């Protein structure tokens, strides 16, 4: 029987989703079609008996925003990456890919993603040093006090938005989103293909890491291939009509007495909120640099250190070299080439006597 604790845990996940949606709109993703992703997530949890919800996830949105120069490119990457993840999940290939790459190389790639997110946040501050700086400062202080990304996102965005209302910055850019269903036919180009593969790399890592954490908290068994199927379909359906990527997240719903139903309730509430079309109206009063604090904490504090440590833990000379190459190539090129480069160096390390 569903309890009040299930509803409270679901509301915690909703708070996180609402704050993260600001980043989605920063990169031009519409909210109304994003509701389709939550509907797919509800069906996925029920069909696969999964307790792992999907929602707005900062890493995926920031990666799509960083790799796509235009909104059309970002949507194309999300659509193609979603379809690709669905295929990988349907054929049960997720675990095999990560096992082949190895934990050290995969962690190094994720550490490189942390550097990408950190650079993106710093670039936002450089372009809008007043409001971006406020967001960055409040974000760092909030995280040091609360150790919560939810509160960090909430207070850093709120501080920059209040400052924008009372001390307008004529150089600041506000978020503008055309919130409606509009079919977006994906396009193909070398940069879009690279971006798609990069998004798939970070999604593979996120699905495995976040899925396992949620499973450990909830006590419900997790099949990474199953969650890749419904999260991939959610991305594809959402972006086909202009919506945001909606990815696997670690949600308070995992700690609920009935984790699966808490996850379903959380996604159902988000579905209703997005259909109400109120979020874009609120975001008109938020400068785009307001998410710089969230991105900095996410990249420099939450993603980089742990993955960097895992990339070099008990590593041989060859493993350390492959991790370094994966990290550098990811940071300066993109996650896909970083993962491939790390795998190739790992394969030739032993013949070179570095095993």
């Amino acid at each position: 029987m569903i309890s009040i604790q299930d509803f409270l845990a679901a509301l915690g996940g909703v708070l996180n989703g609402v704050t993260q949606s600001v980043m989605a709109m920063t990169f031009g993703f519409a909210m109304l079609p994003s509701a389709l992703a939550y509907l797919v997530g509800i069906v996925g949890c029920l069909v696969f008996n999964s307790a792992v919800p999907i929602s707005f996830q900062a890493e995926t949105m920031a990666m799509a925003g960083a790799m796509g120069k235009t909104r059309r490119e970002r949507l194309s990457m999300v659509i193609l990456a979603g379809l690709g993840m669905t295929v990988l999940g349907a054929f049960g290939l997720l675990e095999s890919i990560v096992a082949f790459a190895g934990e050290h190389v995969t962690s190094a790639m994720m550490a490189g993603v942390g550097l990408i997110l950190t650079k993106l946040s710093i670039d936002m501050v450089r372009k809008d040093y007043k409001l971006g700086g406020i967001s960055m400062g409040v974000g760092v202080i909030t995280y040091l006090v609360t150790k919560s990304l939810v509160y960090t996102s909430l207070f850093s965005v709120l501080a920059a938005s209040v400052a924008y209302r009372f001390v307008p910055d004529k150089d600041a850019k506000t978020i503008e989103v055309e919130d409606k269903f509009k079919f977006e036919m994906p396009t193909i180009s070398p940069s879009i293909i690279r971006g798609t593969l990069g998004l798939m790399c970070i999604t593979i890592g996120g699905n495995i890491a976040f899925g396992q954490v949620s499973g450990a908290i909830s006590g419900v068994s997790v099949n990474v291939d199953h969650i890749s199927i419904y999260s991939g379909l959610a991305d594809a359906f959402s972006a086909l009509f202009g919506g945001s990527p909606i990815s696997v997240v670690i949600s308070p719903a995992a700690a609920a007495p009935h984790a699966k139903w808490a996850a379903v309730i959380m996604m159902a509430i988000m579905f209703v909120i997005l259909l109400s079309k109120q979020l874009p109206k609120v975001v008109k009063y938020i400068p785009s640099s307001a998410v710089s604090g969230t991105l900095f904490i996410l990249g420099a504090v939450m993603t980089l250190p742990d993955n960097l440590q895992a990339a070099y833990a008990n590593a041989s000379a060859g493993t350390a070299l492959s991790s370094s190459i994966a990290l550098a190539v990811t940071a300066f090129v993109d996650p896909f080439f970083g993962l491939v480069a790390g795998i190739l160096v790992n394969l030739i390390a032993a013949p070179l006597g570095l095993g």
Side-chain angles (χ1 to χ4, degrees), residues 40-52 86 89-90 220-233 260 264:
V40 173
I42 292 170
V43 174
C45 283
L46 294 175
V47 170
F48 293 116
N49 194 34
S50 172
V52 181
T86 302
V220 179
S221 61
V222 172
N223 185 308
V224 179
D225 291 307
H226 287 171
I227 62 178
S228 295
I229 292 173
Y230 66 79
S231 66
L233 287 174
K260 182 183 81 171
V264 169

Side-chain angles (χ1 to χ4, degrees), residues 234-281:
D235 279 348
F237 276 109
S238 174
L240 269 173
F241 296 95
S244 170
I246 302 293
S247 309
V248 173
V249 294
I250 301 174
S251 169
H258 308 92
K260 182 183 81 171
W261 290 110
V264 169
I265 292 169
M266 185 210 84
M267 290 185 288
I269 294 174
M270 286 299 300
F271 175 75
V272 173
I273 289 175
L274 295 178
L275 284 184
S276 72
K277 302 183 69 172
Q278 296 304 307
L279 278 179
K281 295 180 181 179

Side-chain angles (χ1 to χ4, degrees), residues 69-146:
K69 295 180 180 179
T70 66
R71 181 173 182 271
R72 183 72 178 276
E73 286 189 354
R74 293 165 191 155
L75 290 172
S76 297
M77 292 174 186
V78 174
I79 294 168
L80 296 175
L83 294 175
M85 290 303 300
T86 302
V87 172
L88 292 179
F91 283 94
L93 299 177
L94 267 296
E95 295 287 356
S96 301
I97 290 175
V98 175
F100 183 72
E103 181 180 356
H104 289 89
V105 171
T106 304
S107 297
M109 181 268 290
M110 293 297 290
V113 170
L115 289 175
I116 293 174
L117 300 182
T118 304
K119 182 180 182 300
L120 185 59
S121 70
I122 293 173
D123 287 343
M124 285 185 172
V125 175
R126 290 174 61 187
K127 293 177 181 177
D128 183 7
Y129 69 92
K130 293 180 183 178
L131 301 178
I134 290 173
S135 174
M136 180 83 76
V138 172
V140 170
I141 293 171
T142 302
Y143 187 79
L144 289 175
V145 174
T146 67

